[in-house]
């Protein structure tokens, strides 16, 4: 009797998560086995690879009497380049044409671009809608709405790209060594382009006068209001640091995966964004609160056709928060890379 096989993917948790905004699909698959029909002995393993990352396939018996079959393919996120081994290698890869011509990277970038359009449009529309609400209900509405929107978008694209969406996340995962720098650069460019298109759609739907009156639902600080530039920078910096600290903890620490699994991580990240935006929404009149998403601010402002002279408020503190987090992350990472013993150490141990 001739054996029949069906190929399926068997995921295993990677050593570190590949720069995802939240816990996403594993970046590697291992243990390639074949098991013929009727054989109960231990299957033999053989090597396989797909793209730059090892893939785990398992051959399982096919029910020849079944009326239908389902063929599973590896997600795009499983084939993205792994983080560089060192800064030296990372800088070398940036100037390597092979990395920039990787079609998988550009496909993932296209998904990030596409996701950024509706994300910025919806969150901008949320800001416009809440501008008509009584002040005492704005905070709770922001919490539930941002929790839902952020979580849903992470769920939607996590297996394909890692669900960065926010340029700040792509930059943060690059400087902390969790994401390949070329991947981050492509993501950031695509995210900014998508954000501008999303902001333009909202401005087109509102009309110029209405969009100007509500600042296109974007980031805004009244120059004649009680919030000074220094106060806005302070709020944006500490809010962004809080968001990144929690997001890295619940989304990038492999040990946390054992506690709540991959399905709960995106919801926790969404709740983090919801809590911070809610708590900072009414600190002072004439100030929309912490953004933590410079790409969104850029897209909604450029949708109006200009940039505010203080637009840097939504960028400089955020970048500073990322750099400080990177320093902390390198000195106290949430995981441990165990060094493999050398041949000499192995020999001494045997002796």
């Amino acid at each position: 009797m001739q054996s029949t096989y069906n190929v399926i993917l068997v995921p295993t948790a990677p050593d570190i998560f590949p720069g995802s905004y939240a816990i996403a699909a594993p970046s590697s698959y291992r243990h390639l086995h074949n098991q013929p029909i009727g054989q109960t002995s231990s299957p033999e393993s053989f090597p396989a690879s797909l793209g730059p990352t090892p893939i785990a396939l398992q051959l399982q018996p096919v029910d020849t009497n079944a009326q239908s079959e389902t063929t599973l393919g590896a997600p795009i996120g499983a084939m993205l380049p792994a983080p560089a081994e060192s800064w030296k290698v990372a800088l070398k890869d940036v100037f390597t044409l092979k990395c920039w011509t990787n079609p998988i990277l550009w496909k993932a970038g296209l998904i990030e671009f596409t996701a950024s359009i509706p994300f910025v449009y919806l969150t901008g529309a949320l800001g416009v809608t809440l501008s008509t609400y009584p002040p005492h209900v704005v905070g709770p509405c922001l919490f539930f709405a941002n929790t839902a929107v952020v979580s849903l978008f992470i769920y939607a694209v996590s297996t394909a790209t890692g669900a960065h969406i926010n340029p700040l996340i792509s930059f943060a995962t690059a400087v902390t060594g969790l994401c390949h720098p070329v991947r981050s650069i492509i993501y950031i460019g695509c995210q900014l382009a998508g954000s501008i298109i999303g902001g333009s759609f909202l401005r087109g739907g509102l009309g110029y006068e209405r969009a100007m009156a509500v600042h296109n639902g974007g980031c805004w600080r009244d120059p004649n209001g009680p919030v000074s530039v220094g106060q806005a920078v302070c709020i944006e910096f500490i809010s962004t640091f809080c968001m990144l600290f929690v997001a890295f903890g619940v989304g990038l620490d492999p040990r946390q995966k054992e506690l709540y699994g991959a399905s709960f991580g995106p919801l926790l990240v969404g709740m983090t964004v919801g809590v911070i935006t809610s708590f900072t929404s009414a600190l002072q009149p004439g100030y929309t609160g912490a953004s933590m998403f410079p790409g969104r601010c850029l897209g909604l402002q450029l949708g109006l056709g200009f940039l505010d002279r203080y637009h840097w408020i939504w960028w400089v503190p955020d970048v500073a928060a990322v750099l400080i987090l990177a320093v902390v992350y390198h000195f106290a990472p949430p995981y441990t890379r165990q060094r493999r013993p050398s041949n000499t150490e192995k020999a001494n141990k045997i002796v």
Side-chain angles (χ1 to χ4, degrees):
M1 178 178 176
Q2 184 177 2
S3 299
T4 307
Y5 299 95
N6 185 28
V7 179
I8 65 171
L9 293 173
V10 182
T12 57
D15 296 331
I16 59 173
F17 286 75
S20 302
Y21 186 74
I23 293 180
S27 64
S28 61
Y29 297 80
R30 301 185 182 92
H31 313 303
L32 184 58
H33 302 299
N34 67 341
Q35 180 72 42
I37 295 176
Q39 180 176 333
T40 57
S41 60
S42 177
E44 298 179 357
S45 60
F46 54 95
S49 63
L50 181 58
T53 312
I55 295 294
L57 302 177
Q58 182 175 354
L59 300 181
Q60 289 190 349
V62 176
D63 185 1
T64 57
N65 297 323
Q67 297 180 354
S68 63
E69 288 187 10
T70 302
T71 302
L72 301 178
I76 293 178
M79 296 183 286
L80 291 170
E85 297 179 356
S86 65
W87 280 108
K88 183 178 180 180
V89 175
L91 292 175
K92 181 180 179 181
D93 288 344
V94 171
F95 297 98
T96 302
L97 183 62
K98 183 179 179 180
C99 291
W100 292 99
T101 56
N102 186 339
I104 298 298
L105 274 178
W106 289 102
K107 288 179 181 179
L110 178 61
I111 296 174
E112 288 281 322
F113 164 80
T114 306
S116 298
I117 297 174
F119 186 90
V120 171
Y121 171 80
L122 289 175
T123 54
L126 172 64
V128 174
T129 301
L130 291 181
S131 66
T132 63
Y133 283 23
H136 65 278
V137 300
V138 171
C141 290
L142 270 176
F143 169 73
F144 289 107
N146 280 333
T147 298
V149 171
V150 173
S151 301
L152 289 174
F153 271 83
I154 294 175
Y155 284 125
V157 298
S158 60
T159 56
T161 69
H164 292 199
I165 302 175
N166 187 344
L168 200 65
I169 299 301
S170 297
F171 178 59
T173 52
V175 298
T176 53
L178 297 178
C179 183
H180 196 283
V182 175
R183 176 187 174 192
S184 294
I185 295 172
I186 292 175
Y187 275 17
I188 291 173
C190 293
Q191 292 157 356
L192 294 179
S195 298
I196 295 171
I197 294 177
S200 300
F201 269 112
L202 182 60
R203 183 261 183 220
L206 293 174
Y208 184 75
E209 292 185 0
R210 173 63 173 161
M212 286 294 294
V214 295
H215 315 288
N216 208 26
C219 313
W220 181 66
R221 182 195 69 90
D222 186 356
N224 300 317
V227 179
S228 66
V229 173
Q231 289 174 315
V233 168
C234 181
I235 294 172
E236 185 70 16
F237 169 80
I238 192 61
S239 299
T240 300
F241 185 84
C242 291
M243 184 272 292
L244 291 172
F245 184 81
V246 176
F248 268 62
V250 302
L252 292 172
D253 186 347
R255 297 171 300 181
Q256 299 286 43
K257 181 177 181 292
E258 302 299 328
L259 298 179
Y260 47 72
S263 300
F264 198 36
L267 181 60
L268 293 177
V269 175
M271 290 177 62
T272 302
V273 176
V275 166
I276 296 175
T277 54
S278 174
F279 287 6
T280 61
S281 62
L283 292 178
Q284 289 283 4
Y287 176 63
T288 54
S291 165
M292 304 172 291
F293 197 146
R296 174 182 175 274
C297 297
L298 177 70
L300 292 172
Q301 282 204 11
L302 283 182
L304 294 173
F306 67 92
L307 276 180
D308 183 83
R309 60 178 294 192
Y310 293 110
H311 180 71
W312 61 268
I313 291 176
W314 319 111
W315 285 88
V316 174
D318 292 17
V319 172
V322 169
L323 296 178
I324 292 179
L325 179 71
V327 173
V328 175
Y329 198 81
H330 281 293
F331 280 102
Y335 58 86
T336 300
R337 286 194 177 104
Q338 295 182 351
R339 183 177 63 85
R340 294 182 178 181
S342 63
N343 294 331
T344 303
E345 291 173 336
K346 290 180 180 180
N348 293 336
K349 185 176 181 180
I350 294 175
V351 174

